[in-house]
Amino acid sequence: MIKIEIDSESGFCFGVTTAINKAEEKLAEEKTLYCLGDIVHNGMECERLRQLGLVTINHHDLSQLHDVKVMLRAHGEPPETYHVAEKNNVEIVDTTCPVVLQLQKRIKKQFDSNPDAQIVIFGKNGHAEVLGLVGQTNNKAIVVENLEDVQKLDFNRDIFLYSQTTKSLDEFHLIIDYIQNHISKTCEFKSFDTICRQVANRISHIAAFAQRHDLILFVSGGKSSNGKVLFNECKRVNHNSRQVECPEEIHMEWLKNVSSVGICGATSTPKWLMEDCRKFIFEHTNQGQEPVQIDNIINNLNYKHSIL
């Protein structure tokens, strides 16, 4: 019989949990709630909430709406979004993650105090959180995704470095070292470790988890930046790691000569989806009735009652 373990540390982070809970709360009160962008980078969870009445919109849609409620997801938004909402009498349901909100305030304060300096954000261009951070600087902040991008900075000007909250801590330190070694001695350089520890700490944990199993099923949506980081870590320590978005993407041939399977996921992966992957394996490997696990029952009950 194949042993299957679901990683206890995988699943929604605090910011995503808060946003999901707020959406469910509002949808229990009214039939429709608008959300600016995907509430979470997971198609299965977005579909579940869509069936409850959550309508995903974009910024153009927001500019056309009036007198409605619109949720802002955990990633945060630039100041312009709030201006448009106020102009159109749109009530904002703000679920910006507290960690992201604090980072926005720090960047804005830095920009206001020294608008001529280079404010650099280590992050993914076009990512929702990064757009919100860049917006705090009147869109003047410079986004770098890797060391190649860092080489294009002006090292004869002051540099203040921040990071998207879900980026790799190791990569961030490499960028810090590069700037320190190249910036002019007459210029000021400061770096601010703004990576969320709830996310960063998962990297070492998931590496240890991946080493314990013959096969790793990493459950995550393709849009998840955090998911890419964590999946790459799984593959680094366990070459037999596979990424899936839903149970139907699991291939039974992956289970040949496998005695243990580890199921884990990103901060945008719901617990119920990892549970569904476990059930799918049991149902398709003729192992009979799957064992009842008390912790899994508790997790399901907690999720359904929005107490994650």
Side-chain angles (χ1 to χ4, degrees):
M1 178 175 287
I2 298 175
K3 174 186 175 184
I4 303 175
E5 179 186 6
I6 296 178
D7 177 28
S8 61
E9 297 296 318
S10 288
F12 291 156
C13 64
F14 171 79
V16 173
T17 297
T18 301
I20 297 291
N21 287 350
K22 179 60 70 172
E24 291 177 333
E25 176 187 317
K26 292 294 182 181
L27 289 169
E29 300 171 353
E30 44 202 302
K31 294 182 178 179
T32 301
L33 174 67
Y34 295 98
C35 181
L36 187 55
D38 290 338
I39 190 170
V40 62
H41 288 153
N42 186 280
M44 300 289 287
E45 179 66 5
C46 286
E47 175 60 22
R48 184 185 75 85
L49 292 170
R50 186 192 68 79
Q51 293 180 11
L52 294 179
L54 189 67
V55 178
T56 303
I57 62 172
N58 57 34
H59 287 86
H60 174 73
D61 297 328
L62 177 65
S63 68
Q64 307 300 310
L65 291 173
H66 295 78
D67 309 312
V68 296
K69 290 183 180 180
V70 174
M71 170 177 280
L72 303 186
R73 53 194 175 166
H75 297 96
E77 284 290 323
E80 177 61 23
T81 297
Y82 294 87
H83 297 157
V84 172
E86 182 177 7
K87 176 183 176 183
N88 291 2
N89 195 36
V90 168
E91 180 182 337
I92 291 293
V93 180
D94 200 339
T95 64
T96 302
C97 173
V99 177
V100 174
L101 188 60
Q102 182 62 28
L103 175 53
Q104 288 183 346
K105 292 178 180 178
R106 290 179 67 176
I107 290 177
K108 177 172 174 50
K109 182 178 179 180
Q110 180 64 63
F111 175 74
D112 290 343
S113 65
N114 189 354
D116 294 326
Q118 294 174 101
I119 292 183
V120 180
I121 299 171
F122 171 46
K124 180 180 178 182
N125 269 299
H127 188 279
E129 179 189 326
V130 173
L131 292 175
L133 300 178
V134 172
Q136 309 304 315
T137 68
N138 292 336
N139 297 319
K140 293 182 179 179
I142 302 169
V143 179
V144 297
E145 295 192 1
N146 47 49
L147 278 177
E148 184 178 348
D149 290 341
V150 177
Q151 295 170 17
K152 300 173 185 178
L153 297 176
D154 185 350
F155 295 105
N156 292 309
R157 291 172 57 203
D158 295 343
I159 296 177
F160 297 94
L161 175 68
Y162 299 84
S163 175
Q164 179 182 337
T165 59
T166 55
K167 295 299 287 183
S168 163
L169 195 57
D170 290 340
E171 288 183 86
F172 186 61
H173 286 154
L174 289 175
I175 289 174
I176 291 173
D177 291 342
Y178 187 92
I179 296 175
Q180 286 177 331
N181 292 329
H182 289 81
I183 195 166
S184 170
K185 294 181 180 179
T186 61
C187 295
E188 182 178 12
F189 169 56
K190 288 185 178 180
S191 62
F192 305 92
D193 182 354
T194 52
I195 294 173
C196 177
R197 284 303 181 270
Q198 189 182 25
V199 174
N201 291 342
R202 292 192 183 192
I203 295 178
S204 59
H205 171 85
I206 210 166
F209 178 82
Q211 288 178 320
R212 295 204 301 267
H213 298 283
D214 300 327
L215 169 67
I216 288 295
L217 292 179
F218 187 84
V219 187
S220 175
K223 296 181 181 179
S224 173
S225 176
N226 161 256
K228 291 177 182 178
V229 171
L230 292 175
F231 178 60
N232 285 337
E233 185 64 15
C234 287
K235 290 195 70 174
R236 185 184 69 80
V237 301
N238 186 335
H239 295 305
N240 197 22
S241 296
R242 309 278 186 168
Q243 182 171 358
V244 297
E245 290 198 35
C246 61
E248 290 72 24
E249 292 183 359
I250 299 174
H251 296 278
M252 288 301 104
E253 59 263 29
W254 295 347
L255 301 172
K256 291 181 179 179
N257 301 317
V258 166
S259 60
S260 67
V261 177
I263 301 177
C264 51
T267 57
S268 55
T269 303
K271 287 283 189 184
W272 65 261
L273 186 54
M274 289 183 281
E275 289 285 353
D276 281 357
C277 288
R278 181 177 67 87
K279 293 175 183 177
F280 182 89
I281 294 173
F282 272 101
E283 291 170 358
H284 289 78
T285 53
N286 298 317
Q287 295 194 112
Q289 187 173 2
E290 60 177 305
V292 176
Q293 298 182 20
I294 299 299
D295 58 337
N296 290 334
I297 293 175
I298 293 173
N299 283 336
N300 282 335
L301 287 174
N302 284 346
Y303 183 82
K304 290 176 181 178
H305 291 283
S306 299
I307 307 174
L308 293 175

